[in-house]
Amino acid sequence: MDSHTPPRTEKSHPDQEDHSSLASREKDAGAAIVPHHAAAIDKAAERRVLRKIDLFLIPVMWMGYGLVYYDKAILGSAVLFGMTEDLSLRVVDRTTTPPTTSTDRLSWATSMFYFGMLAGLYPLTFLLQRFVMGNVLGGVVILWGLVAMLTAAVTSWQGLFAQRFFLGFVESIMPTAFMCIITNYYTQEEQALRQSWWFSATGGWTIIGGALNYGFAQITGGTLRRWQYIYLLAGALTVLYGCLCFLIPNSAVSAWFLTKEERVIAVERLRKGQTGVRCQVLKWSQLKEAIMDVKIWLVAFMMAAAYTVNGAVSGFGPLIVSTFGYTPLHAILLQFPLGFLVIVFILLTGYLSSRIPNIRLALLIACCLPVIAGCAMIWRSTWYRRAPTPVVGYTIIGFFGPVVSLIISIGMANVAGATKKSYTAAAIFVAYCVGNIVGPQLIKTPTLNQHYPALWLGLIICYCIVILLAAALYLLLARENKRRDALALDEAGRDTHAFRDLTDKENPYFRYVL
């Protein structure tokens, strides 16, 4: 096929539905623009289309998830800039000898954000599937920015709790939207690398956010406190980003940055993976199947266990580092090595996953080991003024970044069907919220002299659980692939199954990635 000739879009089979029946939206959106059977695609044209998709989507998602991470993580810096005292987040009990200090209110302020996310994940995710994606995203993100800016107006710890809850509610739409966007535009082989690209903003914005916060630390005048300026900036950037979100198309079928011929190529190239593009009808049968699917539960439990680290690091990271004998400013700067490690290894594991088949779960297990080692180093080392060992341990727990990135890519690459994909994305981030709620509660201020033993021992146990669950998932998926490989299937049927919005269990041609 000539590189300038797109696949033909005429109906090539008498059983192919006409466009009036497709208007019911019961089928996958891709069925509206591609033929019933597979059409040959010129490789050069496919690479050109893939490059255009990357150039539009990846920067948008990287910026968006960066703001998500920055918005959560700035609480850790804000408490060093006076928020703890201004909002009474630290309570000193002077009835004891010596007086004891409790930061439970700060722990709950961190956790309230994730209670809000728990409340918002499923309704906003299904709202995203049901209506025009760009419109829903744009409106919710602008609202998120306004709520973030209102943090500067909070005057009590009770008000902060309420603000954090609503902030988490509106912010919950972002990660699930990006997970679904990746599965709607990319093949199974491409998804791990692309998921890693947008999720690498976790590391990138640890560095960018640290630099911004360090700059705010230099403010000595003005009518506002330094932590209030941080939230005003974060909210303003988010509102601007929300305006950009209105440009995000529903799927490759309606992607305005592609020509008509390129849209056909963008959809046709997804046929082999059998994951579909997008369907705006909520299907209860798919929802029931997702709830009963063991592999989704395994992925969710892995995410919950793995993300307990983030619950501690994002809310308490600079505060923990300052207990190693560093000033607040130095504690912020020491977030940079962690951020660098996170971004490098998220991208590296994503690249290896796209190049070497069925290596994702093996990489996930390998990345758990440095996290366990880092927790042990912090816990068992000697903490003295500017002690290097706990800082090194703190840095290498940044391997939690590639662990979580791989969990996302494994979870989303192994499901099909629009409603089931939406449910899975939400389930993964419900588990993400659980991990983030548990993490801060493991930090007990009275145990500082013992190096927070509950925190580091708890994290070590969580990552041992992740390893066991990953091994169980590998065996489960490998056995199912072997069973399907033994089926006597007509290869001609592969073409007709691709855009019927079937789930991975309904479609015998679907294969799981390991």
Side-chain angles (χ1 to χ4, degrees):
M1 180 176 175
D2 183 79
S3 62
H4 298 291
T5 305
R8 291 174 60 82
T9 59
E10 290 84 10
K11 298 176 189 176
S12 56
H13 193 279
D15 294 331
Q16 186 176 6
E17 296 85 347
D18 60 28
H19 284 201
S20 62
S21 65
L22 290 172
S24 68
R25 296 181 302 180
E26 286 288 340
K27 289 185 177 293
D28 190 279
I33 69 169
V34 295
H36 199 51
H37 291 283
I41 302 176
D42 178 72
K43 293 298 181 183
E46 183 180 6
R47 286 193 297 271
R48 184 177 68 249
V49 169
L50 180 60
R51 185 165 58 252
K52 290 181 73 171
I53 293 172
D54 285 343
L55 288 174
F56 177 75
L57 289 180
I58 301 303
V60 171
M61 291 191 291
W62 194 89
M63 180 67 177
Y65 197 70
L67 289 171
V68 168
Y69 190 80
Y70 180 56
D71 186 52
K72 297 195 300 286
I74 54 179
L75 182 64
S77 297
V79 297
L80 298 178
F81 294 155
M83 177 186 269
T84 305
E85 292 74 22
D86 293 346
L87 304 184
S88 303
L89 297 177
R90 182 185 288 118
V91 179
V92 179
D93 184 358
R94 302 189 185 280
T95 63
T96 62
T97 305
T100 56
T101 301
S102 172
T103 56
D104 286 349
R105 289 177 180 173
L106 178 59
S107 295
W108 282 110
T110 302
S111 296
M112 285 302 296
F113 176 90
Y114 298 103
F115 281 115
M117 285 196 94
L118 281 173
L121 271 167
Y122 278 106
L124 291 182
T125 298
F126 288 121
L127 190 72
L128 201 65
Q129 180 190 342
R130 180 64 182 83
F131 298 102
V132 178
M133 180 176 290
N135 292 347
V136 174
L137 263 182
V140 173
V141 170
I142 289 175
L143 182 60
W144 156 29
L146 295 175
V147 173
M149 294 176 75
L150 286 174
T151 311
V154 171
T155 58
S156 67
W157 60 269
Q158 297 97 327
L160 182 65
F161 281 14
Q163 186 276 339
R164 296 284 293 175
F165 179 88
F166 286 108
L167 188 65
F169 187 95
V170 291
E171 205 167 311
S172 65
I173 198 170
M174 298 301 292
T176 53
F178 293 165
M179 291 160 69
C180 291
I181 286 172
I182 292 294
T183 62
N184 291 345
Y185 281 86
Y186 295 99
T187 66
Q188 280 180 310
E189 293 79 10
E190 296 163 350
Q191 285 177 23
L193 182 59
R194 270 67 185 188
Q195 296 280 18
S196 74
W197 282 351
W198 69 260
F199 196 74
S200 69
T202 300
W205 275 79
T206 298
I207 298 171
I208 295 171
L212 290 172
N213 294 345
Y214 186 83
F216 280 113
Q218 313 308 314
I219 297 176
T220 56
T223 57
L224 299 178
R225 300 279 280 174
R226 287 177 291 183
W227 64 267
Q228 293 173 307
Y229 287 114
I230 295 175
Y231 278 103
L232 288 174
L233 174 67
L237 291 175
T238 303
V239 170
L240 292 175
Y241 176 75
C243 298
L244 177 63
C245 286
F246 285 103
L247 298 178
I248 297 176
N250 251 356
S251 68
V253 175
S254 57
W256 56 266
F257 53 86
L258 299 176
T259 66
K260 182 178 180 180
E261 293 77 13
E262 287 171 341
R263 290 175 202 152
V264 175
I265 295 172
V267 173
E268 182 62 48
R269 59 192 294 273
L270 301 178
R271 190 188 296 267
K272 181 182 176 183
Q274 306 286 305
T275 55
V277 179
R278 178 177 166 86
C279 178
Q280 291 184 244
V281 175
L282 297 176
K283 297 182 179 178
W284 295 108
S285 61
Q286 291 192 14
L287 187 60
K288 181 180 178 181
E289 179 184 308
I291 294 171
M292 301 300 292
D293 196 329
V294 174
K295 70 176 180 293
I296 295 178
W297 284 99
L298 288 174
V299 169
F301 282 128
M302 286 164 62
M303 176 63 97
Y307 234 66
T308 50
V309 170
N310 185 72
V313 171
S314 66
F316 287 84
L319 192 61
I320 290 173
V321 173
S322 69
T323 63
F324 302 155
Y326 293 91
T327 67
L329 289 181
H330 286 145
I332 291 173
L333 292 177
L334 286 172
Q335 306 304 304
F336 286 23
L338 181 143
F340 181 76
L341 185 146
V342 168
I343 192 170
V344 168
F345 281 93
I346 285 178
L347 294 175
L348 179 60
T349 53
Y351 174 79
L352 292 175
S353 298
S354 69
R355 295 293 179 176
I356 305 173
N358 295 328
I359 197 178
R360 300 181 199 189
L361 284 164
L363 286 173
L364 189 155
I365 291 173
C367 289
C368 287
L369 302 179
V371 179
I372 294 172
C375 292
M377 289 172 66
I378 299 172
W379 179 20
R380 306 307 296 178
S381 65
T382 301
W383 292 11
Y384 53 88
R385 178 173 166 75
R386 299 195 174 183
T389 303
V391 173
V392 173
Y394 178 79
T395 299
I396 65 174
I397 65 173
F399 272 91
F400 84 88
V403 170
V404 173
S405 179
L406 288 164
I407 291 172
I408 291 172
S409 92
I410 291 163
M412 294 306 295
N414 284 318
V415 292
T419 300
K420 189 173 183 180
K421 286 194 286 188
S422 293
Y423 173 88
T424 302
I428 289 172
F429 271 84
V430 163
Y432 156 101
C433 292
V434 171
N436 276 294
I437 289 170
V438 171
Q441 305 309 317
L442 297 176
I443 299 175
K444 304 299 181 183
T445 307
T447 64
L448 170 61
N449 291 335
Q450 291 82 45
H451 301 181
Y452 302 120
L455 173 63
W456 308 117
L457 179 59
L459 296 181
I460 290 171
I461 292 171
C462 283
Y463 271 77
C464 290
I465 292 172
V466 173
I467 291 173
L468 293 175
L469 293 175
L473 183 61
Y474 185 95
L475 295 175
L476 177 70
L477 298 181
R479 185 180 65 179
E480 180 59 21
N481 279 345
K482 185 176 180 180
R483 185 190 70 81
R484 294 187 180 207
D485 289 341
L487 298 176
L489 297 176
D490 178 10
E491 280 302 306
R494 182 183 297 276
D495 294 348
T496 60
H497 279 68
F499 299 113
R500 291 171 56 189
D501 194 38
L502 299 175
T503 68
D504 51 283
K505 292 199 171 196
E506 293 170 337
N507 188 346
Y509 295 94
F510 188 95
R511 291 297 181 272
Y512 297 102
V513 296
L514 310 178

